[in-house]
Amino acid sequence: MARILTGIQSSGRPHLGNILGAIVPAIELSKNPENESFFFIADLHSLVSIKDGQLRHEYARAIAATWLAFGFDFEKNIFWRQSRVQEHTELAWYLNCFTPFPMLANATSFKEKSEKLADVNAGLFTYPVLQAADILLYNANIIPVGKDQKQHLEMTKDIANRFNQIAGEDILVLPEPQIDERIMTIPGLDGQKMSKSYHNYIDIFLAENELKKVIKKIVSDSKALEEPKDPESDITFKLYSLLASESDVETMRQHYLNGGYGYGHAKQALLECMLDKFAEPRRKFNYYMENPEELESILTTGEKKARAIAQDTIAKVRKVLGFSS
Ligand code: TYM
C-alpha cells in the first residue's frame, strides 16, 4: 500500500494550474484501493504571504470545497487543515535544526524574492522545512505535485536523510514526487506558469460571464482572422488541448493551420469546453461554499484522523531527540 500526500496553500482560490497540476492527478491516485490518501490545506504556509485572517479562512474553505467538488473521498481517506494539527509546526522546528542554511538559501522560491530581502519574512526562508514536516509527519510515499514543487521535494528527502543519519535510525520515510509529464506546468493567461502571485490565473468556479471575461484576456499574437496560425505556440490552444478530447483538439489544430479561424473562436471553444468538463465540479463547489457547516464537520473529522498519525511520528522523533521522559 502506498501513502499519497499533497497540499495546496490557502493563499487564494484554487486555479486551473492547481486543479490540473495537483488536485486531479492526486484524486486519480486516491481511487486505487491500494492507496491511502492524505490531502490537506496548507493554511500555515499561506501566512507567509497573507496576513488577513478572514481572507485566509475563506480561501481555505474554497480549497476544501474544490477537493470535494472533484470527488475526493474524505471518508476513506484523510482530509484536514494543517494549522489544526500542531505537530506540523513542532516537527518543522526539529527539522529546522537539521537543515543546512545554504540549502534554504538556494531554494528557488526564496531566491526569486531575495533581491528585496527587506520584504521577505523568515517564514518564506524556512517554508520548505514546514513542507518537509507536512510530508514526513505522515510517512508519505508518493507526492503528486506540479513541476514547481520538485526542488522542495528534493529538499524534503535531503532533510529526512540527514535526520535519519544523525539519529542513527530510519525514523522518517523518504518520499518520491509524482509529476505528470504532460501537465507539469499549466500556463497562465500570459503564457508564464499559472500562479496566484502572477495574477494570470483562471478560476474555473467563476460565474459564466466572469469566466468568459477572464478567458478573453488570454494573450495571443496579432494575426488576422483569415491567416493560418501556429497552434503549438498559442496559449489558448495549449489550454484547450489539456481539457478537450483528442478529436476536438485535432479539429482545432486544423482550424488554426487552415486559417479563417480567429483567436476569439478558439477562446469561445475553450470556454464551452470548461463549462462542459467542469459542470459537475462547479455545481458541487457552489454547494459546499453555501454549506460551510458541512465542510467544517468533514474537516474536523479529518483533523482527528490526521492528528492520531502525526502524534505517532512525533512521539518517535521526540524520543530519539531526548525530549520524552
Ligand atoms: P501551491 O499552493 O502553490 O500549489 C498547489 C499545487 O498546485 C501545483 N501548481 C501547478 N501545477 C501545474 N501548473 C501550474 N501552473 C501550477 N501552479 C500550482 C503545485 O505544483 C502544487 O502541487 N508548497 C506547496 C503546498 C504544500 C505542499 C506540502 C505540497 C505545502 N506542503 C506538502 C505537497 C506536499 C505550494 O505552495 O503549492
Side-chain angles (χ1 to χ4, degrees), residues 134-204:
D134 299 337
I135 297 169
L136 301 172
L137 207 43
Y138 299 96
N139 304 323
N141 311 110
I142 298 173
I143 319 296
V145 282
K147 192 182 166 200
D148 58 345
Q149 298 298 315
K150 199 167 180 224
Q151 191 188 30
H152 288 158
L153 268 290
E154 280 158 8
M155 291 164 85
T156 299
K157 279 166 84 172
D158 285 352
I159 295 169
N161 236 330
R162 226 179 141 83
F163 180 94
N164 286 343
Q165 262 172 19
I166 296 172
E169 269 183 66
D170 282 348
I171 291 184
L172 302 175
V173 173
L174 271 54
E176 282 303 328
Q178 175 150 322
I179 300 169
D180 185 326
E181 293 300 318
R182 204 173 73 97
I183 50 172
M184 287 188 304
T185 303
I186 310 296
L189 302 174
D190 55 358
Q192 288 189 83
K193 181 193 119 177
M194 186 178 290
S195 164
K196 291 158 209 165
S197 39
Y198 301 157
H199 306 289
N200 64 353
Y201 60 89
I202 301 178
D203 176 349
I204 65 150

Side-chain angles (χ1 to χ4, degrees), residues 5-11 15-23 40-43 45 63 82 88 127-128 130-135 143-150 152-153 156 183-188 192-196 200:
L5 178 143
T6 202
I8 312 269
Q9 270 197 80
S10 51
S11 51
H15 55 67
L16 188 64
N18 302 138
I19 290 168
L20 298 183
I23 295 179
F40 69 97
I41 299 152
D43 51 355
H45 277 107
I63 290 168
Q82 180 194 33
H88 287 253
Y127 182 109
L130 180 59
Q131 180 156 351
D134 299 337
I135 297 169
I143 319 296
V145 282
K147 192 182 166 200
D148 58 345
Q149 298 298 315
K150 199 167 180 224
H152 288 158
L153 268 290
T156 299
I183 50 172
M184 287 188 304
T185 303
I186 310 296
Q192 288 189 83
K193 181 193 119 177
M194 186 178 290
S195 164
K196 291 158 209 165
N200 64 353

